[in-house]
Amino acid sequence: VEKLHQNGNKEVFSYLNIGSIERFRADYEEFSPLTLSDYQDWPEERWVNVAARAWQDRIAAKAEELIAKGIDGLFLDNADIYYQYPNEDIYQGLLAMLKQLNTVGKPLMINGGDAFVQKAMAADDLRQLIAAVNQETVFTAIDFAAGSFGRRTAEDREYYQAYLARCREYGLTVYLLEYGATGELAQEIAEYCRQNGFFYAIADSLELER
């Protein structure tokens, strides 16, 4: 983290998985009783009951460890648990974690989680809690079976564009993460972000190698 800061004063956001847990995590067995179901297309991962206080405490402790490393913010993944389990307990569990994480004094960015974010914006529950959203595959699509990338359908793209416009109106900074886009599609992404004041990155692989 120090080297990244020294190299152009970059801001370093650390990944933190708040809605699921991978089987390779050292504490998976401890928290496996809180898991709810398998995560489609990610066989090593399971969704977690984020309403459980033990899980919320785990996330808070992980955040403290990351903050101690000198990071500038947290990149929070898998708030999509609310899309999988759209009930009030899950919604309140996500809010509880955001409120706790907000106390560390570092900006929070939610990756995906559009169902949760839209409900929270409508209820005005996100004010001052998060700084940004990152949305994957607004223009591109992932074929997990074939291991390839393609274009989003026009209907899906329009849905995400309308969602991101609402995020911007709510005062959130917007980022896009696309996969495998080249040529005309890459130019389309760049122009869309330029017009809307959004930021974007295009990765060559799901592993985000570059």
Side-chain angles (χ1 to χ4, degrees):
V1 173
E2 290 178 0
K3 288 181 179 179
L4 287 170
H5 282 147
Q6 293 166 5
N7 183 19
N9 297 314
K10 290 178 170 57
E11 287 190 333
V12 180
F13 276 64
S14 179
Y15 179 92
L16 182 57
N17 186 349
I18 64 171
S20 66
I21 188 170
E22 302 91 340
R23 289 182 171 86
F24 59 76
R25 298 295 178 187
D27 58 357
Y28 174 77
E29 292 303 323
E30 178 183 354
F31 290 95
S32 62
L34 299 180
T35 63
L36 299 172
S37 60
D38 290 335
Y39 195 134
Q40 185 179 0
D41 297 318
W42 298 95
E44 79 283 3
E45 202 161 350
R46 286 180 60 81
W47 295 108
V48 173
N49 178 10
V50 299
R53 182 58 184 269
W55 179 257
Q56 296 171 17
D57 290 344
R58 175 189 185 270
I59 295 301
K62 293 288 185 183
E64 289 179 4
E65 293 175 7
L66 294 169
I67 296 299
K69 297 178 186 294
I71 63 167
D72 302 294
L74 292 166
F75 182 89
L76 307 176
D77 200 14
N78 288 318
D80 302 283
I81 181 64
Y82 181 70
Y83 177 82
Q84 300 293 324
Y85 296 90
N87 61 64
E88 190 64 16
D89 284 349
I90 294 296
Y91 178 77
Q92 292 299 331
L94 287 169
L95 277 183
M97 285 190 289
L98 291 180
K99 290 175 182 177
Q100 175 63 30
L101 294 174
N102 189 255
T103 65
V104 302
K106 302 291 183 180
L108 308 177
M109 180 189 303
I110 289 184
N111 181 48
D114 55 290
F116 166 73
V117 173
Q118 292 200 86
K119 176 179 171 64
M121 287 193 299
D124 202 21
D125 284 339
L126 281 184
R127 195 72 61 183
Q128 306 302 320
L129 281 185
I130 68 170
V133 293
N134 180 73
Q135 183 58 54
E136 298 180 85
T137 61
V138 175
F139 287 80
T140 57
I142 303 169
D143 186 331
F144 284 92
S148 61
F149 306 120
R151 274 184 177 265
R152 273 281 193 190
T153 65
E155 181 180 8
D156 285 346
R157 186 181 68 248
E158 289 168 4
Y159 163 80
Y160 282 115
Q161 289 177 337
Y163 161 63
L164 294 176
R166 288 193 289 272
C167 290
R168 180 186 58 201
E169 292 166 5
Y170 196 76
L172 302 175
T173 302
V174 174
Y175 295 80
L176 277 68
L177 176 56
E178 303 288 352
Y179 295 90
T182 59
E184 182 180 331
L185 182 55
Q187 293 176 10
E188 188 178 346
I189 294 167
E191 180 61 18
Y192 165 75
C193 290
R194 185 191 67 77
Q195 291 180 358
N196 289 278
F198 298 163
F199 301 91
Y200 75 95
I202 299 175
D204 291 337
S205 73
L206 285 176
E207 287 72 31
L208 305 178
E209 294 168 344
R210 69 184 182 96

